[in-house]
């Protein structure tokens, strides 16, 4: 209940530590993993026709994916996703876990498959995520972004481009790993490929632009002679042989309208010793022989120096301004405001009209976010419009009302290197709201409303939305604890977590991850009056944050500390009732911003609500499981040369119970081996299962033959009108001869292991499910078991594997049955059900009935 965790338990192969491991320098100063990936990311973006791309690499502790390189998208926009849990319900996490490319052509496809991702980034864009492998091991994920509004890229083109980029990255990362210090030939190829630092931003190549021509000139102000290099003479439109070198020769090349500017430049040089940007238009030679006169705008810059004797010499430059300056002058003449933001959203240009409309001069705007300089633009809705434009690469428009009540229209035109914006006065359409989409309306404008759109920033909400989505799927207390551990640690970069619950006035540990062994033992069962931060945060219902060990020791002098350096203690309160506390620890100094404190506090509330719901479920589930297991036989009868054993595993997903059962019933002709499965998972299914088991037991004990037992049971189920169906396999075996008769009603076929160790799937004739057709007929199949054989009856929960067909699952169990040479049916049953037992998320119940037919005298 004091501090938090030791160093994270990483899963890297054994070997010497890497210099700078967990930092951006994962090797020597010359070996940087981001340098190995930068060019490959740019090539992937261009090769797939995208506008942005990124690479995530696994973290040293393998819990997280960490953003390593980003290109084409401002890394600031992706800050909430710099570190994401590997278990997250996000497309990049799915690509990493499954090893398969995830292609999402638009926001609709994203919403259907990854609703949590859409909730955090509610913008329309296409994206694809491709696993990055080294030596067959997945080490990261390559992501590319496409505009869904423009001409969409073909999926085949994107996938092929990602495959090429993936191969390129594997080669680069393999070469990088081989250069890591301390590496041995025995290390895995992917050894050392990990990341644990801030992402590196790589600029996409800019479109080719016309180079600015600059020529150097010398002007002797005393003799009015000129000299220039080849670039200067080219700007004047003459070659060296034809240039006279006099001021008169220069005047011949200058537009008559600008001769005054040339003379004024001379006076400026004499008076001030310099010339600062005098605009001139010079005659431009036409290459096509046209008679029309063409002039090219240039600027003259320079300063005066003393040459030989007392001559005054102006040394300067002629600059071609056909592009930048001319464009700026054109922008100044526009009636609308014009501004430009760099990729991160900072102002890099604003014309005079824009400054007037915003009521702010250029010096205050340059290099700043406009929504931080201007208080009336600080509503998060306006920043969100910039975010939408940059992530969708589509124009965005919206309305703003300034402090004087004037309505302004904004239109943003994005590009991968920033965006250009237009601002103008407008009359607000009826019903318009600040931040709302700008749409023209022919109706007379109504009085504008005064309310602002209070849209929260997507980045601040992401972790809360993500955790809420995950916790809705958590059923048991263990599910909640695991979700908190898998989400909070990577999301906030913490290394340890502990979850405590209150019971009988004392605190008990529910879950811990990252702590030194036995460190938390002294805090088990501490009372609620203990002088501990984990207790105080619950009793005061206030979160506690400590950014250094000194702060924590100052508040709690006698508290034993773990190796962490910063801690957060969060109360878990649900519906006003104390549930427990959550403790997080960081192994490096951590500053808790106001935004992060609010997010952690909100997440603690969500955790408490989920914990309370899960505790109720666990209690109710224990009662339901007890009822279900009470319907199964507690002990199977011993019959002649037969050894039988049964296994039952309840499903672990969902709130309901199932209807699987098995039974061994002595009959007048031998023994009946029965297994069945009522569809559905509910108390109703368990009740029907109990009725069917009783019916089969009564019919079999009365001496009816197998087909009559199943026929009567089928008719009974149809008469119950429960709307539930069931499957069943019934085998009546004579222990003295090994002869058997079997009936199958929609149930998976039995498996038989022969005395020589081979195993087969028994091809029994079958009938429809029980309860479907009251008068259905069920054929009987004759079998003979040899001494030393083992018969396996099972329900579909044993052989159904997500992503695979049932035939494959049956064959897997058959091979396991054949490969197990043990003579113990108990050990054999444990082996057959072992894989299902290890699966934490079983969607269905599992039942197994094994029968060994021994040789005479060995039973």
């Amino acid at each position: 209940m004091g501090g938090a965790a030791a160093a994270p338990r990483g899963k890297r192969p054994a070997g010497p530590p890497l210099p700078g491991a967990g930092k951006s320098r994962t090797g020597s100063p010359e070996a940087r993993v981001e340098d190995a990936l930068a060019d490959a990311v740019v090539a992937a973006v261009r090769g797939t026709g995208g506008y942005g791309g990124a690479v995530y690499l696994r973290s040293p502790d393998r819990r997280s994916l960490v953003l390593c390189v980003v290109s084409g998208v401002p890394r600031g926009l992706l800050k909430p996703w710099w570190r994401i849990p590997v278990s997250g319900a996000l497309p990049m996490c799915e690509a990493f876990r499954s090893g398969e490319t995830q292609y999402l052509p638009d926001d609709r496809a994203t919403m259907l498959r990854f609703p949590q991702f859409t909730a955090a980034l509610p913008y329309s864009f296409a994206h694809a995520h491709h696993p990055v492998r080294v030596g067959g091991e997945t080490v990261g994920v390559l992501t590319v972004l496409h505009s869904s509004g423009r001409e969409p890229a073909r999926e085949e083109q994107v996938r092929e481009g990602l495959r090429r980029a993936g191969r390129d990255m594997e080669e680069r990362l393999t070469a990088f790993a081989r250069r890591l210090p301390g590496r041995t030939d025995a290390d895995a190829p992917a050894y050392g490929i990990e990341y644990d630092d801030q992402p590196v931003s790589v600029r996409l190549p800019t479109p080719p632009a016309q180079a600015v021509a600059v020529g150097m000139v010398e002007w002797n102000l005393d003799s009015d002679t000129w000299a220039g290099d080849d670039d200067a003479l080219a700007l004047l439109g003459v070659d060296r042989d034809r240039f006279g070198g006099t001021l008169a020769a220069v005047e011949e090349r200058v537009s008559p309208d600008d001769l005054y500017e040339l003379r004024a430049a001379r006076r400026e040089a004499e008076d001030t010793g310099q010339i600062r940007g005098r605009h001139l238009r010079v005659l431009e030679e036409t290459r096509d022989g046209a008679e029309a006169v063409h002039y090219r705008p240039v600027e003259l810059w320079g300063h005066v120096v003393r040459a030989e004797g007392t001559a005054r010499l102006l040394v300067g430059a002629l600059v071609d301004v056909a592009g930048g300056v001319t464009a700026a002058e054109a922008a100044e003449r526009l009636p609308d405001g014009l501004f430009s933001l760099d990729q991160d959203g900072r102002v890099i240009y604003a014309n005079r009209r824009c400054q007037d409309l915003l009521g702010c001069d250029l010096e205050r705007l340059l290099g700043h976010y406009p929504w931080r300089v201007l208080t009336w633009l600080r509503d998060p809705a306006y920043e969100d419009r910039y975010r939408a434009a940059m992530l969708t690469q589509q124009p965005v428009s919206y309305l703003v009302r300034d402090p004087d009540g004037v309505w302004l229209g904004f239109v943003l035109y994005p590009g991968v290197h920033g965006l250009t914006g237009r601002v103008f006065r407008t009359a607000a359409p009826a019903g318009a709201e600040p931040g709302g989409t700008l749409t023209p309306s022919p109706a007379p404008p109504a009085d504008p409303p005064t309310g602002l759109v209070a849209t929260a920033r997507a980045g601040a909400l992401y972790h809360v939305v993500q955790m809420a989505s995950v916790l809705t799927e958590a059923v048991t207390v263990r599910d909640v604890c695991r979700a908190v551990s898998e989400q909070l640690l990577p999301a906030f970069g913490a290394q340890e977590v502990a979850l405590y619950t209150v019971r009988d006035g004392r605190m008990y540990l529910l879950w811990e991850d990252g702590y030194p062994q036995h460190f938390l033992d002294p805090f088990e069962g501490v009372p609620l009056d203990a002088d501990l931060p984990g207790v105080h945060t619950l009793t005061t219902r206030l979160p506690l944050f400590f950014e250094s060990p000194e702060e924590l020791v100052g508040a709690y002098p006698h508290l034993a500390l773990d190796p962490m350096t910063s801690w957060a203690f969060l109360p878990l309160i649900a519906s006003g009732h104390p549930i427990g506390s959550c403790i997080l620890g960081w192994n490096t100094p951590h500053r808790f911003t106001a935004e992060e404190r609010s997010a952690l506090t909100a997440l603690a509330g969500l955790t408490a609500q989920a914990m309370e719901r899960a505790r109720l479920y666990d209690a109710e589930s224990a009662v339901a499981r007890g009822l279900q297991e009470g319907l199964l036989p507690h002990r199977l009868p011993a019959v002649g040369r037969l050894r039988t054993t049964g296994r039952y595993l309840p499903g672990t997903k969902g709130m309901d119970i199932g209807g699987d059962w098995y039974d061994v019933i002595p009959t007048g002709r031998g023994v009946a081996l029965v297994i069945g499965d009522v569809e559905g998972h509910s108390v109703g299914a368990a009740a029907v299962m109990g009725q069917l088991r009783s019916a089969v037991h009564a019919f079999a004990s009365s001496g009816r033959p197998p087909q009559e037992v199943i026929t009567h049971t089928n008719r009974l189920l149809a008469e119950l009108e429960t709307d539930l169906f069931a499957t069943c396999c019934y085998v009546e075996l004579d222990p003295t001869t090994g002869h058997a008769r079997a009936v199958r009603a929609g149930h998976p076929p039995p498996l038989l292991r022969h005395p020589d160790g081979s195993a087969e799937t028994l091809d029994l004739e079958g009938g429809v499910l029980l309860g479907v057709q009251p008068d259905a007929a069920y054929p009987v199949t004759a079998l003979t078991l040899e001494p030393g054989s083992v018969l396996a009856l099972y329900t579909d929960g044993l052989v159904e594997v997500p992503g695979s067909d049932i035939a494959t699952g049956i064959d897997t169990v058959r091979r396991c049955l054949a490969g197990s040479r043990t003579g113990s049916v108990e050990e054999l049953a444990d082996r057959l059900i072992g894989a299902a037992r290890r699966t934490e998320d079983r969607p269905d119940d599992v039942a197994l009935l094994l029968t060994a037919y021994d040789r005479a005298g060995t039973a």
Side-chain angles (χ1 to χ4, degrees):
M1 302 275 310
R9 296 188 286 265
K11 300 178 182 178
R12 287 191 288 113
L18 299 175
K23 306 295 184 183
S24 62
R25 296 174 185 263
T26 54
S28 65
E30 293 76 23
R32 301 173 65 99
V33 68
E34 57 267 39
D35 293 342
L37 292 172
D39 291 342
V41 173
V42 172
V45 174
R46 302 181 73 178
T48 58
Y51 66 79
V55 171
Y56 284 89
L57 292 181
R58 59 191 182 181
S59 61
D61 62 8
R62 304 301 189 263
R63 287 173 172 163
S64 310
L65 294 177
V66 183
L67 186 60
C68 178
V69 176
V70 61
S71 185
V73 180
R75 70 174 195 152
L77 289 186
L78 302 178
K79 190 168 185 179
W81 298 272
W82 284 7
R83 178 186 294 269
I84 56 178
V86 168
S87 61
L90 301 170
M92 53 283 278
C93 303
E94 179 64 24
F96 183 85
R97 294 192 302 264
S98 67
E100 298 178 354
T101 300
Q102 305 296 315
Y103 177 74
L104 301 158
D106 50 37
D107 54 337
R108 177 179 174 82
T110 306
M111 171 62 79
L112 292 174
R113 296 185 56 191
F114 301 98
Q116 297 171 15
F117 187 81
T118 305
L121 278 179
Y123 312 114
S124 181
F125 58 94
H127 46 119
H129 310 268
H130 182 74
V132 176
R133 300 183 180 88
V134 173
E137 182 178 353
T138 302
V139 298
V141 177
L142 166 64
T143 295
V144 294
L145 308 178
H146 295 257
S147 172
S148 61
R150 300 177 184 172
E151 182 69 23
R154 300 192 312 275
E155 181 176 352
E156 298 77 10
Q157 173 191 350
V158 175
R159 289 183 179 274
E160 179 56 33
L162 288 174
R163 282 192 289 268
R164 289 196 302 269
R167 291 192 293 269
D168 182 24
M169 287 186 179
E170 179 170 7
E171 293 176 0
R172 292 170 182 263
L173 289 174
T174 301
F176 162 79
R178 288 171 179 164
R179 297 196 303 270
L180 291 175
R183 182 183 176 85
T184 66
D185 293 338
D187 289 328
Y191 173 71
I193 305 298
E194 56 195 34
Y195 197 69
D196 199 22
D197 205 348
Q198 293 189 9
V200 173
S201 184
V202 179
R203 188 175 178 86
L204 289 176
T206 56
Q210 183 178 0
V212 177
V214 179
M216 306 305 297
V217 298
E218 293 180 356
W219 184 0
N220 190 318
L221 299 178
D222 292 333
S223 62
D224 272 335
T225 56
W226 276 63
D229 62 11
D230 292 340
D231 291 327
L233 295 179
L235 285 174
L236 290 172
V238 297
D239 55 38
R240 191 169 299 279
D241 294 336
R242 290 192 299 154
F243 182 56
T246 64
L247 179 59
V250 174
E251 291 177 341
E252 289 179 359
R253 308 303 304 170
V254 175
S255 168
D257 294 334
D258 293 338
L259 289 177
Y260 173 81
E261 283 295 315
L262 183 60
R263 292 192 293 271
R266 190 184 194 286
R267 291 194 298 272
E268 180 182 354
E270 291 176 336
D271 294 341
T272 66
Q274 60 184 359
I275 297 176
R276 299 180 62 84
R278 285 286 179 173
H279 289 259
L280 305 169
R281 286 168 292 172
V282 297
L283 185 64
E284 185 175 33
E285 295 289 341
T286 57
R287 298 181 180 180
D288 55 4
E291 296 181 357
V293 177
H294 298 277
Y295 289 101
R296 190 172 191 85
V298 298
E299 279 187 354
L300 178 61
W301 295 74
H303 65 279
V304 178
V305 298
R306 290 288 176 178
E308 298 177 0
T310 58
R312 295 168 299 170
L313 186 67
L314 183 133
V315 178
L318 275 179
V319 181
D320 179 9
V321 293
V325 175
T326 305
E329 289 178 348
E332 293 297 334
R333 292 191 287 269
L334 291 174
D336 294 342
L338 198 68
F339 62 92
S340 182
L341 306 182
D342 65 13
Q343 192 184 55
D344 292 325
R346 295 180 176 86
V347 177
I348 56 176
Y349 172 76
N351 68 354
R352 175 57 59 184
R353 180 57 175 162
C354 178
Q355 298 171 52
D356 293 341
L357 289 171
L358 299 181
C360 185
D361 60 60
L362 185 59
E363 290 302 317
R364 287 183 57 202
L365 289 171
L366 280 179
H368 296 283
Y369 301 106
W371 49 83
R372 293 187 181 175
V373 175
L374 303 172
T375 57
W376 48 279
L377 283 180
R378 288 183 183 176
D379 190 283
Y382 305 139
E383 181 184 354
D384 187 64
R385 295 297 182 176
Y386 152 76
R387 183 190 299 270
M390 291 302 295
L391 288 177
T392 64
Q393 288 294 292
Q394 292 294 305
V396 171
S397 61
Y398 55 95
L399 291 169
V400 178
R401 196 170 69 167
D402 72 8
D404 297 327
V406 177
W407 284 83
L408 301 176
F410 283 77
V411 185
L412 308 180
Y413 301 93
V416 295
H417 298 110
L419 61 80
T420 297
R422 175 173 162 252
V423 57
F424 50 91
R425 289 177 181 263
T426 184
E433 292 186 355
T437 300
L438 175 60
T439 55
S441 173
D447 293 335
T450 58
L452 286 177
V453 180
T455 305
R457 293 172 59 186
L461 288 176
Y462 168 70
H463 295 306
V464 178
V465 172
Q466 171 79 356
M467 179 64 81
S469 300
V470 172
L471 289 177
T472 58
E473 301 176 1
V475 176
T476 66
V477 170
R478 181 178 177 82
D479 292 340
V480 173
C481 293
R482 183 172 63 240
V484 171
S485 178
E486 292 179 349
Q487 296 294 323
L488 279 185
L489 290 182
F492 292 91
Q495 281 70 46
E496 70 179 8
V497 62
L499 289 166
Y500 280 85
T501 187
V502 178
R503 189 170 64 250
D504 300 328
R506 293 180 177 272
M507 303 287 284
Y508 294 94
L509 182 67
L510 284 175
W511 182 280
E512 67 85 12
D513 193 358
Y515 279 87
Q517 190 173 13
H518 303 303
F519 177 82
L520 296 176
D521 292 352
F523 304 105
E524 186 69 6
V526 296
L528 294 184
D529 59 357
D531 188 22
L532 295 170
V535 174
H536 287 171
T537 191
L538 178 64
T539 56
T540 63
R541 304 191 178 192
L542 296 174
L544 302 175
F545 300 94
F546 300 94
E547 298 182 349
S548 69
E550 291 75 18
E551 287 187 20
L552 184 56
V553 171
Y556 299 91
H558 304 294
L559 181 65
L561 299 185
D562 57 10
M564 299 294 103
T565 58
S566 300
W567 297 265
F569 298 85
L570 308 171
L572 302 180
I573 309 295
S575 302
H577 302 292
I579 301 299
S581 60
C582 173
I583 306 170
L584 296 170
W586 286 257
N587 61 6
T588 56
H590 188 83
R591 182 176 177 273
F592 298 97
T593 64
E595 182 182 36
E596 187 172 83
R597 292 176 186 232
S598 298
L600 285 170
T601 303
L603 290 171
L606 291 174
T607 300
Q609 295 288 345
M611 191 78 72
E612 181 70 1
R613 184 185 69 247
R615 282 167 50 171
L616 292 174
Y617 164 80
D618 283 348
E620 294 175 358
S621 178
V623 174
R625 297 296 181 195
L627 169 64
Q628 182 183 28
E629 293 176 4
L631 296 174
L632 295 173
H634 298 285
R635 183 172 54 252
L636 297 178
V639 181
R641 296 159 58 184
L642 303 182
R643 288 178 293 127
T644 59
T645 189
R647 295 290 185 274
Y648 172 76
L649 291 179
T652 60
K653 297 183 69 173
M655 296 288 291
D656 299 318
I657 57 179
D660 292 14
W661 93 92
Y662 58 84
D663 210 345
V664 176
I665 309 166
T667 69
R669 293 175 298 275
V671 62
L673 309 171
V674 190
I675 196 161
D677 182 3
V678 178
E679 70 168 355
H681 297 84
S682 64
V683 174
V688 172
M689 177 266 281
Q691 291 175 298
L692 291 184
R693 177 175 176 249
S694 298
V696 171
H697 198 285
F699 292 142
S701 300
S702 67
R704 296 179 183 272
Q707 67 269 34
E708 289 189 19
V709 172
I710 298 302
T711 299
H712 283 71
T713 304
N714 173 57
R715 187 174 297 114
L716 172 66
L717 180 56
E719 291 173 354
L720 290 176
E721 297 182 350
T722 65
D723 294 328
L724 293 177
F725 305 123
T727 67
C728 182
C729 187
Y730 183 99
V731 180
E732 188 180 67
L733 176 64
D734 182 352
T736 60
T737 64
H739 297 316
R741 291 182 297 168
V743 178
R744 188 165 65 94
H747 201 82
L751 300 174
L752 179 63
R753 189 180 77 182
H754 298 286
D756 62 1
S758 64
E760 67 171 316
T761 302
L762 296 179
D763 185 17
L764 303 184
E765 292 187 69
V768 299
L769 278 69
L770 300 179
V772 176
Q773 300 175 5
D775 298 326
Y778 293 91
V780 177
T781 303
L783 305 172
T784 299
L785 273 62
E786 299 178 32
S789 300
V790 177
L791 180 68
L793 306 180
Y794 55 90
T795 57
D796 54 8
L798 181 66
V799 294
E800 286 184 338
V801 179
S804 180
D805 57 56
I806 192 170
T808 302
I810 292 174
D811 190 60
T812 299
V813 176
R814 182 194 61 78
R815 285 187 277 108
C816 181
L817 180 64
S820 300
R821 300 300 181 183
T822 177
S824 168
V825 290
E826 301 293 338
E827 184 177 345
L828 180 57
D830 289 336
R831 290 184 182 180
L832 291 180
I833 211 166
R837 190 186 300 276
R838 290 190 296 270
T839 302
E840 295 184 357
D841 295 325
R842 288 189 300 276
D844 199 0
D845 294 7
V846 176
L848 172 68
L849 177 62
L850 283 185
T851 302
Y853 179 46
D854 291 328
R855 294 175 173 82
T858 62

